[in-house]
Amino acid sequence: FMPVFAFAQTPPGIVAQFEATPLFSQANFLPADAVTRFIKVTNNRDTSRLVVTQATNESDPSGFASALSLVIKEGATTLYSDTLANFFAASEVALSTVASGATAQYDFTVTFNPASGNVYQEAQLGFDILIGFQGETAVGSESTADSTSGGTITGWSGTGTTGAQGL
């Protein structure tokens, strides 16, 4: 008879669960609109690890990202608060240290500056969000098995004063 071998399969060191794929996919985004999506990160390493995030593959031909704010929170704690344009420019943003075996939830909220008026009608931007442990390969890009896109956001279309139409 043949011997049977059993091998333990090691789980990935980091598991990232994105609320939606892509994380953001907003059309007709009006001034003062906001959308929140989460990313849950599980640390399967033997030690605590610092979680970092960054944007890649940004496409923002009209400068729309400067009219959008990004706030990243873990529970009630604000970890990042700036424009989406500045997030794009950052090499990486440190979020928090996750203990071995623990899971952290990061809430990403994008808000369209209410004072933007009609300047960004039909403007579009796109980006990918990477998330991972500092010093290691990130997960969450479109080029990995754990793929997702940061998403696309399109400024509202229509005519009239800010918020009058969002068709």
Side-chain angles (χ1 to χ4, degrees), residues 129-140:
I129 292 178
L130 302 177
I131 195 155
F133 296 138
Q134 187 175 46
E136 296 183 20
T137 302
V139 296

Side-chain angles (χ1 to χ4, degrees), residues 71-80 95 105-109:
V71 174
I72 304 172
K73 290 185 172 186
E74 183 179 13
T77 304
T78 299
L79 306 172
Y80 182 85
L95 297 180
Q105 178 172 315
Y106 303 105
D107 296 311
F108 287 64
T109 301

Side-chain angles (χ1 to χ4, degrees), residues 25-156:
S25 181
Q26 307 308 121
N28 297 321
F29 204 51
L30 299 165
D33 279 359
V35 62
T36 301
R37 299 283 188 270
F38 69 77
I39 301 174
K40 292 181 181 179
V41 175
T42 301
N43 178 3
N44 289 327
R45 300 275 189 213
D46 292 337
T47 60
S48 296
R49 299 290 181 157
L50 177 62
V51 176
V52 295
T53 188
Q54 72 182 76
T56 187
N57 300 324
E58 305 91 356
S59 173
D60 185 21
S62 62
F64 189 23
S66 64
L68 301 171
S69 68
L70 173 65
V71 174
I72 304 172
K73 290 185 172 186
E74 183 179 13
T77 304
T78 299
L79 306 172
Y80 182 85
S81 181
D82 206 335
T83 66
L84 193 56
N86 286 340
F87 181 70
F88 288 173
S91 59
E92 68 181 25
V93 173
L95 297 180
S96 68
T97 299
V98 178
S100 175
T103 299
Q105 178 172 315
Y106 303 105
D107 296 311
F108 287 64
T109 301
V110 175
T111 304
F112 192 167
N113 181 340
S116 295
N118 296 333
V119 175
Y120 296 102
Q121 280 189 11
E122 299 184 26
Q124 293 187 1
L125 65 85
F127 58 97
D128 292 338
I129 292 178
L130 302 177
I131 195 155
F133 296 138
Q134 187 175 46
E136 296 183 20
T137 302
V139 296
S141 84
E142 291 183 317
S143 61
T144 69
D146 300 287
S147 67
T148 191
S149 166
T152 59
I153 300 175
T154 304
W156 72 290

